[in-house]
Amino acid sequence: MAQVTRVTEHGGGVWSIPVPIPDNPLGHTLVHLLDTDRGPVLIDTGWDDPTAWDTLTAGLAACGTSVAEVHGVLVTHHHPDHHGLSGQVREASGAWIAMHAADAQVVRRTREAEPSRWLLYLEEKLSAAGAPEEHLAPLRASRASGRAGLPGQRPALPDREIVPGELIDLPGRRLRAVWTPGHTPGHVCLHLEEAHPAAGEGMPGHGRLFSGDHLLPEITPHIGLYEDPDDTTVIDPLGDYLDSLERVAALAPAEVLPAHQYAFTDAPARVRALLSHHEERLAGLQALLATPLTPWQLAESMEWNRPWEQIPYGSRNIAVSEAEAHLRRLVKLGRAEAVPGGNPVMYRAI
């Protein structure tokens, strides 16, 4: 049985349970438990893994409840370290699962897609971004072999919708959905519009914010282009994210309860730091584009948490997607443009 050592009671019927993410530097997802008049509700569930499941169930016991008593699951976004165990929680408890419609559509698309089609889409996308042949070859080999299936169970389909701006139907609680696209198209934060337990001690701010991956105390979340072979809409996820940050700052919560790291205060200050970080990064990338570069070449030139040569294969795909999101933002701001006739496409500063 997994040992839970850091279950935290935040007061006012709120707890957090650190559920491990296998082989990931983030370490764990903070699954939050919110007590309601109809039973406990989970905000996210953690990765679909036996150790994670054991940790979640032991954590619920440490909070004085059990998975069988869970009334509902609110999913901040569809990523597997947040939504992975939702289906197993529903099977064990009969709980409903709620998610924003945009991320619910991603889940449906993932469940219905042929893996070989996704591999072809990814291969074509990376080729257009300037990926070298040695990076494309494994994708071609996987598609040709017919063994393109992905490990793990299919993600659970939600049966309720989280509607932006509306109060969640939680008896005895006042929890409002705040749509914060950027990290995913349907990412939501959840604003607990109740007095903070420490309000009597002079803590400034308005309630508490379950921020998922949108607002973290030390980490800047990944912002990449959303993957959808059937949608050719020109999107700007980084622009959406920056707008969403300002929306959260305006709420001025007394405390932020994120899905990774630790709870913190002064959300507006953290937002200001993130806005400044992204502006500095955009300016730096614009300077790099004094010489035309493909998205792959730009990703190679960007600063990551380790040298490009040490970044694993799959993480390079994520890095290129992030480079493309920054390029999309620079183009929209009129600070960069695609070089006509390029194949693969190259971008240059304006």
Side-chain angles (χ1 to χ4, degrees):
M1 173 67 70
Q3 297 298 311
V4 178
T5 58
R6 299 194 312 281
V7 169
T8 301
E9 182 173 3
H10 296 278
V14 177
W15 293 259
S16 61
I17 305 167
V19 175
I21 310 171
D23 302 317
N24 189 296
L26 280 174
H28 58 261
T29 300
L30 290 173
V31 173
H32 289 95
L33 184 151
L34 179 65
D35 200 16
T36 80
D37 290 348
R38 201 174 290 162
V41 167
L42 296 181
I43 299 173
D44 294 332
T45 56
W47 193 275
D48 184 4
D49 173 79
T51 299
W53 174 255
D54 290 346
T55 303
L56 177 63
T57 55
L60 289 169
C63 294
T65 185
S66 70
V67 69
E69 297 178 69
V70 173
H71 169 58
V73 175
L74 294 163
V75 183
T76 61
H77 62 295
H78 71 82
H79 287 166
D81 56 322
H82 297 258
H83 182 43
L85 286 173
S86 299
Q88 200 166 341
V89 169
R90 181 164 61 189
E91 289 172 8
S93 64
W96 45 260
I97 301 172
M99 185 183 288
H100 186 282
D103 271 23
Q105 177 58 29
V106 174
V107 170
R108 279 191 290 273
R109 193 168 66 235
T110 303
R111 290 171 59 93
E112 296 166 3
E114 287 292 332
S116 60
R117 182 163 181 254
W118 277 97
L119 286 173
L120 177 61
Y121 168 75
L122 185 57
E123 178 189 326
E124 292 174 342
K125 188 170 180 291
L126 286 166
S127 178
E133 176 57 35
E134 60 265 25
H135 190 86
L136 300 174
L139 293 171
R140 294 194 180 110
S142 294
R143 192 160 50 85
S145 72
R147 296 191 300 273
L150 299 175
Q153 298 177 345
R154 296 189 306 172
L157 278 173
D159 42 54
R160 290 193 183 185
E161 182 179 339
I162 296 177
V163 181
E166 291 192 2
L167 289 172
I168 309 293
D169 181 18
L170 300 180
R173 307 308 300 243
R174 188 172 178 87
L175 188 69
R176 191 176 301 277
V178 184
W179 185 34
T180 51
H183 184 56
T184 71
H187 191 290
V188 293
C189 294
L190 299 161
H191 189 201
L192 190 60
E193 299 178 340
E194 302 170 7
H196 191 285
E201 301 167 19
M203 176 176 278
H206 310 285
R208 289 180 279 182
L209 185 75
F210 299 100
S211 65
D213 281 0
H214 182 68
L215 194 62
L216 303 170
E218 297 175 8
I219 300 170
T220 303
H222 164 71
I223 310 294
L225 296 186
Y226 311 136
E227 308 290 353
D228 184 353
D230 299 318
D231 191 349
T232 58
T233 305
V234 177
I235 56 172
D236 179 19
L238 182 53
D240 292 341
Y241 175 67
L242 299 176
D243 289 344
S244 299
L245 280 177
E246 296 194 13
R247 190 176 309 132
V248 162
L251 294 173
E255 188 175 27
V256 179
L257 302 174
H260 301 290
Q261 299 191 304
Y262 51 85
F264 63 100
T265 58
D266 202 349
R270 180 59 182 147
V271 166
R272 288 193 297 273
L274 284 166
L275 292 174
S276 176
H277 162 79
H278 280 287
E279 180 47 45
E280 289 176 9
R281 195 171 206 196
L282 286 168
L285 299 184
Q286 187 177 4
L288 287 173
L289 294 172
T291 301
L293 298 172
T294 66
W296 183 276
Q297 291 169 330
L298 185 63
E300 287 180 311
S301 304
M302 291 169 69
E303 276 194 28
W304 304 104
N305 60 1
R306 67 192 97 174
W308 182 259
E309 296 73 24
Q310 297 176 19
I311 296 178
Y313 181 91
S315 297
R316 290 189 180 192
N317 296 340
I318 295 171
V320 172
S321 181
E322 186 152 329
E324 289 181 307
H326 282 76
L327 282 167
R328 188 70 58 84
R329 185 67 187 151
L330 285 170
V331 169
K332 187 164 186 178
L333 292 171
R335 294 163 62 177
E337 65 182 1
V339 178
N343 186 21
V345 64
M346 305 185 87
Y347 290 83
R348 63 189 175 201
I350 299 175

